[in-house]
Amino acid sequence: ALCAAAVLADSPELARFALLPVLDRLCQSALAHIEAGRSEEDLVPFLEMISGMAVTVREEVFQSSRLTMLTQLCVLAMRSTNQDILKPALLFLQKLLFSQSAAVSAEAIRDIIQAILLHFHNWPRSMSGQVFKLFSALAERQEATFLALATVAVPALASLPASEQNIALRALRELRGPKFRAFLSDLGAVARGENTPDVLQLYAPDPAQ
């Protein structure tokens, strides 16, 4: 059922008239998968369905009574390193960060930001595009909360030498666009042990400026 629902989500009409009315039942099905201890891969069709709906009927799904559960599932999915799980979960959250729905609480936004900062460095390099989009959404739409949380208990920063840590904090505050994307990729690589901290010196401010 979830696999079929994921296909329907690509059509605005089908998502609106076939999926939204039964979203509660589909959420219960996903919850049953979790409670039964099934593999996390079993949730991929459900995540693909809700990410598709976040694109095709955006605000309508964000006004759902099940929004809290959908958000929590995507936040939990961020613990994974499987790109098939991460891609739809991150797309849903990216769209949610831009939502105007009153149902999106400040607490939910804070939980999303904390989870991103806690886990992004563990995601494979193939997710760099999604990481950049997420951080750009945070910087654009949730800047104050994002920057406040970025200064405390971020694993990717905590293990850095003081000099590189200061550079990284400044980069999170000031860099945007392609250089921000490159910085996030390098920061993740350093945290995963794929590069050394001195690569972050590339993002130090120019003394001449």
Side-chain angles (χ1 to χ4, degrees):
L2 290 177
C3 289
V7 175
L8 295 178
D10 291 336
S11 163
E13 291 77 14
L14 292 175
R16 182 172 293 113
F17 297 113
L19 295 182
L20 279 174
V22 296
L23 185 57
D24 187 77
R25 193 185 315 159
L26 293 169
C27 286
Q28 290 296 335
S29 177
L31 189 59
H33 278 285
I34 296 171
E35 291 176 342
R38 300 276 293 275
S39 166
E40 60 180 12
E41 283 81 5
D42 290 339
L43 279 179
V44 170
F46 179 78
L47 293 171
E48 289 179 340
M49 179 196 75
I50 63 172
S51 68
M53 294 177 73
V55 173
T56 55
V57 292
R58 184 176 302 186
E59 292 304 315
E60 291 169 76
V61 75
F62 295 146
Q63 292 166 4
S64 163
S65 61
R66 285 289 179 170
L67 179 62
T68 298
M69 178 187 172
L70 298 178
T71 304
Q72 289 174 344
L73 282 172
C74 289
V75 166
L76 287 173
M78 285 196 276
R79 298 178 181 178
S80 178
T81 57
N82 183 332
Q83 68 176 10
D84 291 335
I85 293 170
L86 287 167
K87 281 184 177 180
L90 299 187
L91 177 58
F92 180 87
L93 295 174
Q94 177 197 335
K95 298 300 183 184
L96 181 63
L97 289 169
F98 281 100
S99 174
Q100 301 295 324
S101 172
V104 183
S105 68
E107 181 181 2
I109 294 296
R110 187 179 180 88
D111 288 346
I112 292 168
I113 296 173
Q114 285 180 321
I116 293 169
L117 294 173
L118 186 62
H119 298 295
F120 81 93
H121 61 285
N122 292 321
W123 302 337
R125 187 178 284 273
S126 60
M127 298 300 298
S128 62
Q130 285 77 10
V131 170
F132 171 64
K133 290 177 181 177
L134 266 183
F135 273 80
S136 295
L138 294 180
E140 180 178 340
R141 301 289 297 193
Q142 307 292 336
E143 185 179 37
T145 305
F146 164 54
L147 293 179
L149 292 174
T151 60
V152 294
V154 180
L157 301 184
S159 60
L160 293 175
S163 175
E164 282 76 13
Q165 192 172 107
N166 290 333
I167 290 170
L169 286 170
R170 179 168 180 157
L172 289 173
R173 288 195 305 269
E174 299 179 4
L175 289 185
R176 298 296 179 262
K179 194 167 184 178
F180 191 36
R181 177 172 182 162
F183 160 74
L184 292 168
S185 180
D186 284 337
L187 180 61
V190 171
R192 292 190 298 272
E194 299 168 3
N195 211 331
T196 54
D198 61 307
V199 72
L200 299 179
Q201 291 291 335
L202 290 170
Y203 308 97
D206 186 345
Q209 292 182 345

